Amino acid sequence: MKSFPVRTHQDVRNALLGRREIALLDVREEDPHAQCHPLFAANLPLSKLELDAWTKLPRRSVPIVLLDNGEGFAQRAATKLDALGYTDIALLEGGLAGWIDAGGEVFRDVNVPSKAFGEFVEAERHTPSLTAEAVNALLSGGEDVVVLDARRFDEYQTMNIPGSISVPGAELALRARALAPNPATRVIVNCAGRTRSIIGTQSLVNAG
């Protein structure tokens, strides 16, 4: 079995703080990743590696650091990435336990950096919001409302608010005026949780 270099907690931390390019990848499944992981570790499960690697890591020379929690997934992922043509692959020394033992912080949930950013935006900009009950009342009452779902289209297809329109977040500012041409129409942005709703709503507010 091919061996790969090892990078320490301090080396990875310095790269992150120095804003140097690094893809810190947790190759466990989403649930264990969500329970405990370094802040900027992206989840790319070993089971989906060959399906998603070229989309999520389009440049083969990107510096990659892989971590697991002692299951051996990181070594297997490194072997697969090597076979796919990636040229800068390393393992995190000690995996998740090594990160913790070295004093590294860990976080719970998924997409933690973007969620923290969303909460920061709402607190700073006082982004307007409505409760689910209020939105339901507006829709039930036939008010002049348009609901724009800012999630990916595949998420929208899985479940959505009846009558809502799929408008992935990056398209909101482009399409909102066409979907709500009357300035009096109340535009409501939703997602599955909060973050994309906050960022989508604030983007429309900023766009006028």
Side-chain angles (χ1 to χ4, degrees), residues 149-167:
D149 191 317
R151 299 171 299 157
R152 302 189 313 267
F153 184 61
D154 61 307
E155 294 178 87
Y156 173 81
Q157 288 179 302
T158 301
M159 61 176 181
N160 58 70
I161 296 173
S164 64
I165 303 168
S166 175
V167 187

Side-chain angles (χ1 to χ4, degrees), residues 9-10 13 96-106:
H9 157 267
Q10 192 61 51
R13 183 174 185 273
L96 180 62
W99 180 271
I100 295 170
D101 290 344
E105 283 189 280
V106 289

Side-chain angles (χ1 to χ4, degrees), residues 104-161:
E105 283 189 280
V106 289
F107 294 80
R108 182 170 180 148
D109 207 351
V110 294
N111 304 317
V112 177
S114 60
K115 288 181 179 179
F117 177 66
E119 298 303 314
F120 174 78
V121 167
E122 183 185 44
E124 285 290 309
R125 296 300 184 94
H126 308 291
T127 308
S129 63
L130 291 169
T131 65
E133 292 78 10
V135 173
N136 185 55
L138 290 169
L139 294 172
S140 300
E143 299 291 330
D144 184 11
V145 172
V146 61
V147 179
L148 306 181
D149 191 317
R151 299 171 299 157
R152 302 189 313 267
F153 184 61
D154 61 307
E155 294 178 87
Y156 173 81
Q157 288 179 302
T158 301
M159 61 176 181
N160 58 70
I161 296 173

Side-chain angles (χ1 to χ4, degrees), residues 24 34 38 51 61 64 69 99-100 110 114 118 149-151 163 178 185 204:
L24 178 59
L51 288 173
S61 59
I64 297 170
N69 197 21
W99 180 271
I100 295 170
V110 294
S114 60
D149 191 317
R151 299 171 299 157
T185 300
L204 292 181

